[in-house]
Amino acid sequence: MQFNYHSPKSETELAALLNGMEDYCLLAGGTDVMVKMKEKLISPRNLVDVSGIESLKGIRETAGSLWIGPLVTHRELMDSPVMNKKTAALCLAASEVGSPQIRNAGTVGGNIGNASPAADTVPALLALDAKVQLNSANGSENLPLDKVFVGPGRTCLKSGQYIAGIHVSPVAAGEGAAFAKFGKRKALACSIVNGAAWVRVQGGVITAARIALGSVGPTPVRLYETEKWLVGRKPEPAVFAEAGLQAEQSVRPIDDVRCTATHRGKLARVTVQRCLEAATKQAMEVCVCE
Amino acid sequence: MSKRMIKFVLNGKPIELEVEPELLFVDLLRERLGLTGTKVGCGEGDCGACTVLVDGKNVNSCLMLAVKADGHDIVTVEGLGDYDKLHPLQEAFIAEGAVQCGFCTPGMLLSAKSLLDVNPHPKREEISRHISGNLCRCTGYTKIVNAIEKVACQGGGEDRE
Amino acid sequence: MSDYKVIGHSVQKLDAVEKVLGVAKYAADIQFPGMIYGKTLRSKVAHGVLLSVDTGKAKALPGVVSVLTGDDIPGSNSSGIIIKDEPVLVKNGQKIRKIGDPIALVAAETEEIAEQALRLIEVKVDELPAVFDPVAAMKDDAPKIYEKGNVLAVRKIRRGDVEKAFAECAVIVEQDYQTQMAEHAYIEPEAGVAKLDGDIVTVWVCTQNPHYDAKEIARNLNIGLNRVRVIQATTGGGFGGKLDVSVQVHLGLLAVATRRPVKMIYSRHESIANSVKRHPFIMKLKSGSDANGKLLAFEASIIGDTGAYASYGPGTLTRSAVHVMGPYEVPNVKVDAYTVYTNNPQAGAMRGFGVPQVAFAHESQMDILAEKLGVSPLKIRLINALRPGSFTGTGTELKDSVGIVETLEAATAGAKKTMELNW
Ligand SMILES: Cc1cc2nc3c(=O)[nH]c(=O)nc-3n(C[C@H](O)[C@H](O)[C@H](O)COP(=O)(O)OP(=O)(O)OC[C@H]3O[C@@H](n4cnc5c(N)ncnc54)[C@H](O)[C@@H]3O)c2cc1C
Ligand code: FES
Ligand code: FES
């Protein structure tokens, strides 16, 4: 390992530093970057540690939206009272990442930036309609999260861009969200399949839905077709089962050391079915009274 | 490449030194400061043998650059107790037979401490979950959980110090 | 409970205080002034003949103190707990038999330089077809890993007349079983330090087998045993996996070549890739009983994949053969147990030494037998369990203490306490 280490203290400094810089890698908690450097999968000439930038930290409630700083750790997310109240599924996803040690260091921004198809917070963020704010010296843009991933380990971020914030929609009354993960063990287990669902139920029918799955393809995916199909249907077991079946048929998973493609397909079905079941249950029960 | 000055508190004492950016915190501890109580079992965040506390939270020092210690309060196993006065968790680990080969023990103790310091009376499941990033190949965990539970029942780690 | 001072009581572990304080010295914790670091270059192919090793560039790298190949070994260049079939460093013209076979050693001022030097060593190998399945390896046309063939050892047990007994059985259970390779994954990866003291080589190492280590070092360095000291450092788990040599001989060679203290620590990857494993087994068991469930005949064939080198293979398979009928009395027994070489990682000792594998099989047999007979799993075991006066499958008379019936009864009582049992 050999690199120049930079530790900008503000976003302005970061943007200026990255502008025109070649061969760099951002460093947040380092739980992905350090492993990759040790295994010599990457050897960046410049390591830019963003962890000292205050404006990238914290969780804030804004009108109709929740802002999550990219430096928020999985631990902070799972412990956050406001997030637990408004996006419990995301907190659950964060609580399933790695181990307590990994959750204390690893960040949401890093989970997105690493672009692993198995990233645990990503399906939950997708189900919560997350938008990612990308900043650089040349300006700022907001992208839906699923547009950020272009392949395993690859994001659409252009040189000089960094994740400056993540917006998610809080789960309101009449809405519900759920997350589920299958791993080989209960802790320190990369997901074999993970997924999340969000639904809105009005007058006894589903009026809107978002479903996301991870580890079933080169990037995490939204199941737009099934989401559309669900609209207007009753939240009942046969519908969840059919949605699960659609998920199994639409994903293109691979065989790897953790699981066969066939079994992954079945897990995708179960994941979607269970998440929809839990999400609609919450939508029909929970009243967000403040 | 160019060295950096870092300042941090280690086991209650302020430390100031110059480090290469690529130096890992675990290597700083073991090789430069001679604190070999922190172990390396995997080097990749999987085993927890290298666990240290950063501002009270358990983290893997094998995945942490030494420069990142700057400005933080760090505790290693050497900061828990000594021959004259063992930490209650150290006593309980001995009494309950939670130590076998001992290689996981320093990390396990620190993870346990980080739990009891914020949650002095955890449930058994909470203990298990909190040490889930610390692998032990010898004990089967039961006695480790027993030891931590024993301290919890006595009123948590810090109360008794 | 106990009348003794120690037996029946919990005693404090001798070194527990040092361990909880973090002051116990494991091999990787040992430092000496002027210490250098050793690394091993390993084969990337599973089967082949080593044609050449060019260490020129590695030796020229600043910070490299020494680079050794098979030609630099003064002694026998072999190790192995039962059979000395494992090269310390594969020599030019010799065979590579698995991924990870050691080819060269580097000692350098830092671990990074040593690693860099490994990448500068140029190796040419004539790759041969490999075989990873022990059943395939037993066939006549399989790639020959050893000149004398791939079957390393066969253990046979013959007692009574199995054929005749099976003909008289009311129930017969015949079933195939397979178990997987397993890694010990002791939490401390292999590590050691060697240092010369005059002409005495001292090696501190994590090990379960210091006396064996010393002999292996002496034979390979071609020096007297009186010039080798092996000190077991506090060892972070072994479970049988630290009975074989890892860094010991390599450290001895480097210490003598450089006359400096030298340390080697395996990464977790190197540890898993190169340490011994639990033997994967392929088993066929046939058990027959009379209408009351009393076992009359038992037949088994066991194939144990010992990988590229013997390690404890022949011993493990002997144990398996002896134990495969379980703790049950059977008058007629026929067992064939094969230890077979493949190009897989070598398998050796691991907790239970070949018995856990067969236990899975013989206990499954008993459950199936019980089901066929319509009796409880407990009853079928009590009917057949060894008792004082019983003869084992190998014909040994058990004269006094046999714990199985007592254990089954105690376990049943325990289980009954916690749940409603319907035996
Ligand atoms: C033992 C172990 C277990 C793990 N288990 C899990 C698991 O169960 N589930 C899971 O999802 N993950 C797991 N991970 C992966 C990892 O912990 C997570 O992906 C984590 O969220 C990464 O965050 P980080 O801050 O450590 O990222 P870093 O390693 O610092 O960075 C990761 C990537 O994101 C980029 N990046 C970081 N911040 C930004 C930013 N602001 N803008 C743009 N790019 C940025 C970096 O350049 C890098 O490419 C595990 C890792 C380890 C070592
Ligand atoms: S050595 Fe750091 S987690 Fe294993
Ligand atoms: S005591 Fe050996 S690994 Fe835990």
Side-chain angles (χ1 to χ4, degrees):
Chain A
M1 283 201 299
Q2 270 217 335
F3 47 79
N4 293 308
Y5 177 77
H6 310 268
S7 51
K9 291 285 173 267
S10 71
E11 283 190 65
T12 327
E13 214 184 300
L14 172 66
L17 179 73
L18 296 185
N19 196 14
M21 182 182 254
E22 273 169 33
D23 193 7
Y24 70 84
C25 177
L26 299 185
L27 176 75
T31 57
D32 281 314
V33 170
M34 295 306 297
V35 173
K36 285 185 181 171
M37 289 207 300
K38 283 184 161 195
E39 289 187 348
K40 303 196 167 56
L41 300 172
I42 57 169
S43 43
R45 201 136 52 82
N46 294 290
L47 199 60
V48 181
D49 186 353
V50 296
S51 62
I53 303 177
E54 286 303 318
S55 62
L56 300 179
K57 296 180 185 171
I59 292 166
R60 286 195 289 277
E61 249 188 300
T62 54
S65 168
L66 292 157
W67 182 88
I68 307 168
L71 287 177
V72 167
T73 62
H74 299 294
R75 170 75 177 276
E76 286 166 349
L77 204 48
M78 64 188 265
D79 284 354
S80 155
V82 57
M83 297 308 282
N84 271 291
K85 196 161 161 200
K86 309 220 159 152
T87 64
L90 178 58
C91 300
L92 179 62
S95 78
E96 294 274 335
V97 173
S99 63
Q101 287 92 324
I102 295 294
R103 295 193 286 272
N104 280 333
T107 64
V108 184
N111 209 210
I112 296 172
N114 190 52
S116 157
D120 282 321
T121 62
V122 169
L125 288 167
L126 287 171
L128 297 171
D129 203 23
K131 306 272 188 309
V132 180
Q133 190 189 336
L134 301 177
N135 285 5
S136 72
N138 303 322
S140 176
E141 60 176 315
N142 260 301
L143 276 186
L145 177 58
D146 67 337
K147 297 281 177 298
V148 170
F149 306 113
V150 296
R154 284 174 29 236
T155 64
C156 71
L157 267 70
K158 293 190 269 293
S159 179
Q161 273 188 327
Y162 62 92
I163 301 168
I166 303 128
H167 288 276
V168 295
S169 309
V171 179
E175 299 174 3
F179 169 84
K181 161 173 178 170
F182 287 96
K184 282 221 153 181
R185 296 171 299 275
K186 286 187 193 159
L188 278 170
C190 192
S191 281
I192 292 170
V193 167
N194 55 13
W198 169 91
V199 291
R200 179 180 293 144
V201 182
Q202 282 164 320
V205 294
I206 299 171
T207 57
R210 285 188 295 269
I211 306 171
L213 283 172
S215 265
V216 292
T219 65
V221 288
R222 277 276 296 271
L223 304 183
Y224 290 107
E225 291 297 314
T226 305
E227 292 173 8
K228 264 187 250 156
W229 178 85
L230 280 167
V231 173
R233 288 178 203 271
K234 283 214 178 91
E236 57 191 21
V239 170
F240 306 144
E242 170 59 25
L245 217 55
Q246 288 185 15
E248 179 174 355
Q249 283 158 2
S250 69
V251 296
R252 295 278 167 273
I254 53 163
D255 287 317
D256 68 10
V257 289
R258 275 187 284 279
C259 192
T260 62
T262 321
H263 189 55
R264 274 210 167 86
K266 295 197 190 315
L267 292 177
R269 172 164 59 78
V270 175
T271 304
V272 167
Q273 197 176 337
R274 288 186 190 167
C275 286
L276 282 173
E277 213 170 282
T280 47
K281 190 161 170 244
Q282 187 194 2
M284 283 152 49
E285 266 174 12
V286 165
C287 145
V288 184
C289 327
E290 284 199 70
Chain B
M1 308 215 166
S2 72
K3 289 194 181 185
R4 288 233 168 189
M5 202 62 190
I6 57 169
K7 279 192 219 178
F8 60 101
V9 175
L10 182 60
N11 297 327
K13 292 190 200 79
I15 297 242
E16 205 174 327
L17 42 77
E18 219 179 26
V19 295
E20 303 75 37
E22 53 274 4
L23 183 70
L24 295 170
F25 191 64
V26 68
D27 293 337
L28 170 68
L29 289 172
R30 290 179 51 83
E31 275 149 41
R32 203 148 314 168
L33 302 175
L35 298 177
T36 53
T38 305
K39 305 298 178 198
V40 178
C42 71
E44 300 200 347
D46 284 308
C47 75
C50 65
T51 300
V52 300
L53 303 186
V54 178
D55 302 328
K57 295 200 172 78
N58 49 338
V59 301
N60 299 312
S61 63
C62 71
L63 293 182
M64 177 178 162
L65 291 174
V67 285
K68 280 199 172 244
D70 192 34
H72 294 284
D73 186 332
I74 290 165
V75 178
T76 68
V77 68
E78 287 86 356
L80 280 186
D82 54 36
Y83 279 103
D84 297 331
K85 190 167 184 289
L86 293 176
H87 185 278
L89 278 164
Q90 291 173 320
E91 277 174 6
F93 267 56
I94 296 173
E96 293 299 312
V99 182
Q100 286 192 33
C101 83
F103 204 78
C104 71
T105 307
M108 203 62 92
L109 286 165
L110 289 164
S111 280
K113 178 174 159 57
S114 72
L115 172 66
L116 297 186
D117 286 353
V118 295
N119 180 3
H121 305 291
K123 293 199 276 290
R124 247 183 118 77
E125 304 79 61
E126 290 175 309
I127 297 174
S128 299
R129 196 167 151 78
H130 199 83
I131 59 166
S132 63
N134 294 82
L135 302 186
C136 174
R137 291 291 291 163
C138 301
T139 64
Y141 303 101
T142 303
K143 295 192 171 191
I144 293 175
V145 177
N146 290 350
I148 301 170
E149 199 177 31
K150 183 177 179 185
V151 179
C153 291
Q154 289 165 354
E158 291 305 295
D159 307 12
R160 267 190 37 167
E161 273 191 327
Chain C
M1 228 180 108
S2 158
D3 297 335
Y4 302 98
K5 268 193 195 152
V6 172
I7 297 169
H9 297 281
S10 289
V11 292
Q12 185 172 320
K13 199 174 166 59
L14 273 181
D15 54 1
V17 173
E18 282 69 26
K19 284 174 171 172
V20 296
L21 288 173
V23 300
K25 288 275 178 243
Y26 296 80
D29 303 339
I30 298 167
Q31 297 281 5
F32 288 107
M35 196 168 74
I36 52 178
Y37 297 86
K39 291 271 172 207
T40 315
L41 181 75
R42 297 179 178 278
S43 167
K44 292 190 172 69
V45 305
H47 198 194
V49 174
L50 185 63
L51 298 179
S52 67
V53 187
D54 185 347
T55 60
K57 284 184 196 153
K59 280 183 174 154
L61 184 73
V64 170
V65 184
S66 176
V67 183
L68 302 179
T69 66
D71 293 330
D72 302 311
I73 298 178
S76 76
N77 194 3
S78 67
S79 73
I81 209 110
I82 294 178
I83 299 165
K84 308 287 175 203
D85 57 0
E86 202 173 338
V88 169
L89 291 174
V90 178
K91 251 170 115 151
N92 283 348
Q94 278 188 348
K95 263 214 170 173
I96 288 168
R97 297 192 178 86
K98 66 173 175 68
I99 290 174
D101 263 350
I103 294 172
L105 298 172
V106 171
E109 298 294 341
T110 68
E111 275 192 279
E112 291 72 38
I113 298 173
E115 260 168 33
Q116 223 178 320
L118 288 186
R119 290 194 289 275
L120 296 176
I121 299 174
E122 286 159 27
V123 175
K124 288 211 180 76
V125 179
D126 182 14
E127 202 171 338
L128 297 170
V131 55
F132 302 106
D133 168 16
V135 176
M138 288 170 80
K139 299 208 169 106
D140 289 338
D141 58 350
K144 270 210 168 66
I145 302 168
Y146 289 86
E147 269 318 304
K148 56 188 190 296
N150 296 338
V151 177
L152 165 61
V154 187
R155 295 283 181 264
K156 295 189 179 193
I157 298 173
R158 299 288 185 270
R159 184 162 183 251
D161 186 339
V162 175
E163 252 168 69
K164 186 163 157 270
F166 272 123
E168 288 161 8
C169 285
V171 185
I172 293 176
V173 175
E174 208 170 348
Q175 184 72 39
D176 291 338
Y177 299 92
Q178 209 170 324
T179 62
Q180 80 284 17
M181 182 182 286
E183 157 69 24
H184 309 72
Y186 24 78
I187 213 80
E188 177 205 28
E190 292 79 350
V193 177
K195 189 169 161 287
L196 287 189
D197 211 346
D199 63 355
I200 293 180
V201 188
T202 307
V203 180
W204 292 260
V205 63
C206 66
T207 178
Q208 295 179 260
N209 217 350
H211 298 93
Y212 160 73
D213 296 344
K215 286 182 208 148
E216 295 296 73
I217 295 169
R219 273 192 322 105
N220 282 290
L221 269 57
N222 203 18
I223 57 177
L225 198 52
N226 58 333
R227 284 180 51 198
V228 181
R229 267 184 92 197
V230 173
I231 298 174
Q232 186 200 19
T234 307
T235 295
F239 320 125
K242 286 178 183 166
L243 284 164
D244 298 74
V245 294
S246 56
V247 295
Q248 293 85 330
V249 182
H250 291 167
L251 279 171
L253 289 167
L254 288 174
V256 170
T258 63
R259 305 203 66 80
R260 285 176 66 177
V262 50
K263 181 189 268 192
M264 287 181 108
I265 306 176
Y266 285 178
S267 67
R268 176 58 63 184
H269 183 281
E270 190 170 16
S271 168
I272 290 185
N274 300 292
S275 61
V276 300
K277 302 286 172 278
R278 185 190 289 290
H279 285 81
F281 276 12
I282 294 169
M283 298 169 272
K284 192 184 259 312
L285 269 65
K286 185 174 169 187
S287 322
S289 78
D290 65 17
N292 298 322
K294 182 84 194 86
L295 288 171
L296 299 179
F298 180 87
E299 190 175 340
S301 99
I302 309 170
I303 298 169
D305 175 2
T306 206
Y309 300 104
S311 179
Y312 276 98
T316 305
L317 267 295
T318 303
R319 286 274 199 107
S320 309
V322 168
H323 289 282
V324 67
M325 57 297 287
Y328 308 112
E329 187 159 28
V330 206
N332 302 287
V333 174
K334 179 182 176 201
V335 180
D336 291 339
Y338 303 87
T339 316
V340 181
Y341 283 124
T342 63
N343 296 108
N344 286 325
Q346 71 276 38
M350 180 170 182
R351 291 193 155 178
F353 225 95
V355 181
Q357 292 96 318
V358 297
F360 156 61
H362 64 63
E363 289 311 296
S364 302
Q365 288 289 102
M366 295 308 268
D367 286 343
I368 301 169
L369 196 60
E371 200 175 308
K372 283 202 172 183
L373 285 161
V375 301
S376 81
L378 176 64
K379 188 165 176 206
I380 194 83
R381 287 170 171 83
L382 286 174
I383 292 171
N384 292 292
L386 295 168
R387 292 172 163 83
S390 301
F391 284 85
T392 66
T394 44
T396 304
E397 188 183 358
L398 299 172
K399 295 222 163 93
D400 14 58
S401 147
V402 184
I404 180 71
V405 173
E406 225 180 304
T407 307
L408 283 169
E409 281 165 355
T412 312
K416 274 186 176 151
K417 255 193 209 165
T418 47
M419 61 174 119
E420 279 288 316
L421 280 184
N422 217 353
W423 292 116

